Amino acid sequence: MADQKKRDYYEVLGVKKGASDDELKKAYRKLAKQNHPDLNPGDKAAEARFKEINEAYEVLSDKEKRAKYDQFGFAGVDPNFGAGGPGGAGGFGGFDVSDLFGSFFGGGFGGFGGGGQSRTGPAKGSTVRASLTLTLEEAAFGCEKDVNISHVESCDVCGGTGCEPGTTAEVCPECHGSGQVRMQQRTMFGTMSTSTVCPNCRGEGKIIHQKCKACGGSGGVRRQKKVHVKVPAGIDNGQAISVRGQGDMGRNGGPAGDLIVGINVMPHARLRRDGAHIYLDQTVSILQATLGGEVEIPSLDGKMKCKVEPGTQPGTTLRLRGRGVPALNGRGRGDQYVTIRVEIPRNLNEDQKEALRKFAEAMGELPASSSAGESGERSVFHRRKKK
């Protein structure tokens, strides 16, 4: 049977039922200091009172637990309270239901139904995220950058133990370092035993009486640092790089977490990227489009010459093989596509207009009268037969 002689939590802390949070905290600190095991070495009574004080404060300082306690008493916050012993009704007796579920699901009932897991084993640290902004060329050909991050490192003062130097943590007397305790509940099927996180050490398996002042007992401190990142060629906007072991420190000897760097690629002044290909709109004059020639264009490799064939029409797209983006973690490169835009001249002077008229005549085109513009000016042409 569970202990029915537990003292009322408000009585333990010496406060009234309607006490405020500040009153609870003040009473707890005073009593905890008076009965702390370090200040009362060998005093089992003080140790018992210290545990009782911690238990009371843990419940009353939590609004949800306190409400349940005020309504249902110990039964609202302590599953052991009122539970029967082995051999209860329903045929289950003292059978541990966690063994039953473990045979089907490969684990204890705590992992299946909400008992929680111990925090005593090694655990990998949390992932840290950062971002990196690149130019189109840097993303295409790869580069190396330094990224500033904030992450949790092992405390230099306590070496990650969380204890003040010269002191050690106490193995939790409730769970004996396992971080879990077995609890029994009486149900319609009988008495069932489950495993849950130890309430005394909160699953840590140890109790730190003198916490490290540098880290507050957590064993880790947050620091800023630079991480050197190698960006692979061909990476694109929105993708990410994983850098192992550069995240937050692990717990209980576990490995550090990873750093995930999100990539942002700045827009280029003229080039556009779509996958492995590069696209460019290039404006040429009527003369260049008609007679052909070479124009200088931008590319990922810098400025280069592009040949325009005679008679190139507006909207023609030229393909430059192998001038695109290198394949990410692969071989080869995409292509660059150049779309030709023909510029029509504006604000021509009389000599230029006359030259165009002569060109039209040479091409067998006869100017037709226009309703707009200067007298005698021709702007629309139709073809005539040569005599």
Side-chain angles (χ1 to χ4, degrees):
M1 293 288 289
D3 184 8
Q4 300 288 337
K5 297 181 181 180
K6 293 178 68 170
R7 287 202 300 157
D8 177 73
Y9 286 149
Y10 291 102
E11 180 186 345
V12 171
L13 295 181
V15 297
K16 296 180 180 179
K17 189 172 183 180
S20 66
D21 292 341
D22 288 339
E23 289 174 329
L24 287 172
K25 186 181 295 184
K26 184 177 180 180
Y28 165 72
R29 288 179 174 175
K30 178 181 178 181
L31 294 171
K33 184 177 181 181
Q34 291 175 351
N35 296 276
H36 199 289
D38 289 346
L39 300 178
N40 300 276
D43 189 340
K44 296 297 182 180
E47 183 179 347
R49 289 194 298 271
F50 184 74
K51 292 179 181 178
E52 185 182 41
I53 292 164
N54 275 290
E55 179 183 334
Y57 184 69
E58 180 186 1
V59 172
L60 298 183
S61 62
D62 185 304
K63 290 184 179 180
E64 185 176 341
K65 291 182 180 179
R66 183 176 181 179
K68 291 181 179 179
Y69 176 73
D70 288 343
Q71 185 174 3
F72 303 108
F74 294 115
V77 293
D78 186 357
N80 276 327
F81 191 84
F92 283 82
F95 184 81
D96 187 346
V97 75
S98 63
D99 296 334
L100 173 65
F101 280 94
S103 64
F104 286 103
F105 300 104
F109 184 61
F112 177 80
Q117 294 183 344
S118 169
R119 292 161 52 89
T120 60
K124 187 176 182 179
S126 300
T127 298
V128 172
R129 298 185 181 277
S131 62
L132 185 61
T133 299
L134 307 174
T135 65
L136 179 60
E137 292 83 357
E138 288 173 333
F141 298 118
C143 59
E144 296 187 12
K145 295 278 188 177
D146 287 332
V147 179
N148 292 314
I149 68 168
S150 172
H151 76 151
V152 178
E153 296 180 354
S154 178
C155 176
D156 295 332
V157 176
C158 66
T161 65
C163 301
E164 187 68 15
T167 67
T168 57
E170 175 193 2
V171 175
C172 177
E174 297 293 330
C175 64
H176 306 290
S178 69
Q180 292 187 332
V181 292
R182 290 195 179 278
M183 308 186 79
Q184 291 186 330
Q185 286 182 296
R186 176 174 290 175
T187 71
M188 61 183 295
F189 300 108
T191 301
M192 292 187 178
S193 177
T194 61
S195 295
T196 187
V197 173
C198 175
N200 191 47
C201 66
R202 301 180 186 273
E204 296 289 349
K206 60 185 178 182
I207 298 174
I208 300 176
H209 296 300
Q210 290 182 270
K211 296 181 179 180
C212 171
K213 296 182 179 63
C215 65
S218 67
V221 291
R222 183 167 294 279
R223 291 195 178 100
Q224 303 283 334
K225 79 169 185 177
K226 288 184 178 180
V227 178
H228 194 67
V229 177
K230 293 184 178 181
V231 180
I235 200 164
D236 205 351
N237 188 60
Q239 294 180 328
I241 303 169
S242 177
V243 185
R244 293 187 178 278
Q246 294 297 333
D248 288 342
M249 62 174 282
R251 190 175 68 243
N252 299 327
D258 300 329
L259 168 64
I260 303 296
V261 183
I263 299 299
N264 300 314
V265 181
M266 294 186 296
H268 191 275
R270 295 193 59 193
L271 302 178
R272 302 187 309 277
R273 176 180 177 178
D274 186 358
H277 302 307
I278 294 294
Y279 295 85
L280 168 70
D281 290 337
Q282 178 63 40
T283 300
V284 299
S285 67
I286 291 179
L287 186 63
Q288 290 172 317
T290 303
L291 301 181
E294 287 186 337
V295 293
E296 188 176 75
I297 64 170
S299 74
L300 293 177
D301 301 294
K303 294 182 179 180
M304 61 176 293
K305 297 292 185 179
C306 177
K307 185 177 181 180
V308 178
E309 297 292 340
T312 296
Q313 300 299 307
T316 299
T317 298
L318 310 178
R319 180 182 183 184
L320 307 180
R321 295 182 181 275
R323 292 292 183 176
V325 179
L328 181 63
N329 300 323
R331 296 180 179 179
R333 292 176 60 176
D335 302 323
Q336 179 168 335
Y337 293 90
V338 182
T339 300
I340 300 299
R341 309 295 183 193
V342 179
E343 183 179 27
I344 305 301
R346 300 178 180 180
N347 304 320
L348 299 177
N349 59 37
E350 284 302 322
D351 291 339
Q352 292 168 333
K353 293 177 182 178
E354 185 60 29
L356 282 178
R357 294 189 190 103
K358 291 180 179 180
F359 173 74
E361 292 178 2
M363 292 295 293
E365 296 177 348
L366 190 67
S369 60
S370 173
S371 60
E374 299 177 9
S375 176
E377 182 177 340
R378 283 50 169 186
S379 59
V380 181
F381 304 103
H382 63 82
R383 189 168 296 280
R384 71 171 183 176
K385 287 186 178 179
K386 288 187 178 181
K387 294 182 180 180

